[in-house]
Amino acid sequence: MGLQTPRAAPSQNTSQLEAQQLAFLESYDAHSPIAVAIQHSGVYATSIQLESVQHRPGAGVTGIYRVATARPVMPSTWSAGVYTQTSDHVDELYVGMTTEPVPQDAQGVVFSHSPYGPLAVWQHPLDPALPGLRLATDPASVTEHWGFGRTLVALETISYRPLRRAVIAADFDDGSRLFLKVLRSGRAADLDARHRMLLDAGIPAPQPTREPVSDVVALAEGPGVSLAEHFLADGAVHLAPEQFIGLLDQMPAEVMTLPARDAWTDRLPAYASAAASALPHCTDRIRAVEATILNGLPQTDRGPAVPTHGDFYEANLLMNGSAISCLLDVDSLGPGHRVDDLACFLGHLAVLPAVDSRYVHAPAAFDRFARVFAQTVDPAALQLRAAAVSLSLVAGARDSRRSGWEIQAEHRLTCAEALLGLTAPAPALPRWPSDIQPHAL
């Protein structure tokens, strides 16, 4: 039946410690080690603001801070043996601080301590796990390695997950755009090979422009618009759900030779713990969703191992009219189960109204896609795993820059509950089609 027991959540002691670390990184107390660390480069913090926080249960907590700085200038003359520092240079920089283990010899890292364990602090772009980030954010280096005679017009950070990965967009004067994917040491060649594997199989994927440089993969911009735009406009009523299954059917057999990775549901306890850390007042509801899924999974059929995308949802699919024009973000490509790719798609679709209230057509789109997807896998497995994906997205709503992010996070939780029938139906919530019956096991 292709069953797999989800990985256990971090121990209670670990969860409690990470909750304390999370609270510390979000507090004013975190400012002191940051201010001390950046003094090593000769600047002084005038203000510190938390930009984002990343909690990976069992691994640690990382914060990114925006720091306004002043560089002191010593006057050339003394007055009564005393001098006053003045500043002729005010700037802004970004600083990362993590409780995750970092090698002691990491370049540019200042090590500190908190009441809840060691800290590692660095100035962007000297991320200790992403050696190519400095290269990908330096205009001269980008021009040298990927300009091919063109003039660089702009560099933009599209996404940055500290200690994990970053995506930088480079725009050139001929109107072209490259996406520079910055990876952890030793992973760039593998990602480059994955793109070429798909392209050789006739699957539309971004084209690498050259071999990787310093763990950076440069990809040409894919054609088309995000599938999310279709869901926003009219619920993608003109798109056939079958074509997305067909795209997965085209995955080459070579994908099965890649390392297997956990699907969303395999790490459900960890995601539930992260959700509870973000919304402690909703812990009972979160645990009820988790328990419903975990209790139901043994009665479902996961299906055979097949080539999978691993992160198959609307943001990673580009459309040219009604046709799929590009499949993005193939980092998780590998052997897995079709039901998990389809659940990833549905779980993200389910929470779109919680991401942006303009996705008023998402519930109807969910119903239409769920009916088609459920014809190809065990519907019960699909339902539970889609709810698990929605639950995994709760903690991602956390945003220290916005007030009211808790409302959005709780809305995502409500979407997960709605998929399981744990909350009253409502027009703005996804609903699992009640007439879809599980396959006989």
Side-chain angles (χ1 to χ4, degrees):
M1 291 180 31
L3 297 178
Q4 179 175 329
T5 302
R7 292 191 181 187
S11 68
Q12 184 175 1
N13 288 341
T14 298
S15 296
Q16 290 176 344
L17 175 61
E18 289 181 355
Q20 293 170 324
Q21 293 172 340
L22 185 60
F24 175 82
L25 262 65
E26 292 181 325
S27 73
Y28 182 80
D29 293 337
H31 295 188
S32 178
I34 293 172
V36 171
I38 67 171
Q39 286 183 26
H40 287 262
S41 59
V43 296
Y44 294 80
T46 59
S47 70
I48 300 174
Q49 180 178 337
L50 178 65
E51 284 288 296
S52 65
V53 65
Q54 175 181 288
H55 177 204
R56 300 185 70 250
V61 185
T62 304
I64 297 296
Y65 302 81
R66 187 171 75 246
V67 182
T69 66
R71 189 180 303 276
V73 177
M74 187 183 301
S76 57
T77 58
W78 291 68
S79 175
V82 178
Y83 71 89
T84 302
Q85 289 183 331
T86 60
S87 175
D88 69 349
H89 180 76
V90 178
D91 206 348
E92 190 173 82
L93 53 84
Y94 287 86
V95 173
M97 183 161 66
T98 188
T99 67
E100 292 193 34
V102 169
Q104 289 294 315
D105 59 352
Q107 180 185 8
V109 174
V110 176
F111 293 93
S112 185
H113 201 79
S114 78
Y116 311 107
L119 299 169
V121 187
W122 69 90
Q123 290 186 35
H124 183 76
L126 297 179
D127 187 307
L130 301 177
L133 189 57
R134 174 189 281 187
L135 181 76
T137 54
D138 175 60
S141 297
V142 171
T143 300
E144 175 186 355
H145 292 289
W146 299 288
F148 304 112
R150 299 168 297 179
T151 299
L152 182 68
V153 175
L155 280 177
E156 177 187 1
T157 298
I158 302 300
S159 66
Y160 174 44
R161 294 182 61 198
L163 306 177
R164 294 296 177 271
R165 57 181 292 187
V167 179
I168 312 296
D171 295 314
F172 295 92
D173 60 349
D174 63 352
S176 64
R177 166 172 274 207
L178 292 182
F179 290 98
L180 306 177
K181 301 195 75 167
V182 185
L183 306 172
R184 304 184 84 175
S185 296
R187 299 190 178 183
D190 176 69
L191 180 61
D192 179 78
R194 289 165 187 252
H195 281 87
R196 298 183 190 278
M197 178 189 297
L198 293 182
L199 290 166
D200 289 345
I203 292 180
Q207 175 73 53
T209 62
R210 59 166 297 177
E211 71 282 354
V213 179
S214 298
D215 295 291
V216 180
V217 176
L219 301 169
E221 183 178 26
V225 299
S226 172
L227 174 58
E229 295 296 324
H230 290 264
F231 286 135
L232 179 65
D234 58 10
V237 294
H238 300 295
L239 302 183
E242 291 84 356
Q243 69 177 313
F244 299 97
I245 298 172
L247 179 65
L248 294 175
D249 285 338
Q250 295 176 45
M251 289 282 181
E254 292 89 336
V255 171
M256 299 299 289
T257 67
L258 299 173
R261 300 195 183 192
D262 288 340
W264 304 81
T265 311
D266 297 327
R267 301 194 68 242
L268 176 61
Y271 287 126
S273 294
S277 294
L279 297 175
H281 64 286
C282 295
T283 297
D284 289 345
R285 292 169 57 191
I286 292 166
R287 296 306 178 188
V289 170
E290 178 189 18
T292 299
I293 296 169
L294 294 179
N295 291 338
L297 285 176
Q299 284 74 53
T300 65
D301 184 1
R302 196 173 189 176
V306 297
T308 60
H309 177 269
D311 201 14
F312 193 66
Y313 73 107
E314 77 284 337
N316 289 331
L317 289 156
L318 301 183
M319 309 297 298
N320 183 6
S322 60
I324 300 170
S325 56
C326 199
L327 178 64
L328 308 176
D329 207 358
V330 302
D331 304 57
S332 298
L333 196 71
H337 300 271
R338 174 64 56 85
V339 68
D340 289 309
D341 266 350
L342 300 181
C344 180
F345 188 107
L346 292 178
H348 282 82
L349 174 55
V351 304
L352 282 180
V355 175
D356 189 326
S357 61
R358 294 177 298 165
Y359 282 101
V360 294
H361 306 289
F366 179 91
D367 181 88
R368 192 163 62 89
F369 277 78
R371 290 179 183 279
V372 174
F373 289 176
Q375 296 173 18
T376 64
V377 295
D378 176 16
L382 183 60
Q383 178 184 10
L384 292 172
R385 292 172 182 277
V389 172
S390 293
L391 181 63
S392 76
L393 299 172
V394 170
R398 190 175 201 142
D399 188 344
S400 60
R401 296 170 297 179
R402 295 189 296 112
S403 61
W405 64 262
E406 295 92 342
I407 296 174
Q408 187 186 85
E410 189 169 348
H411 191 172
R412 298 185 187 195
L413 172 59
T414 304
C415 290
E417 293 173 322
L419 294 185
L420 300 172
L422 299 179
T423 190
L429 293 176
R431 184 177 182 182
W432 187 260
S434 59
D435 57 326
I436 297 180
Q437 298 300 319
H439 294 156
L441 303 181

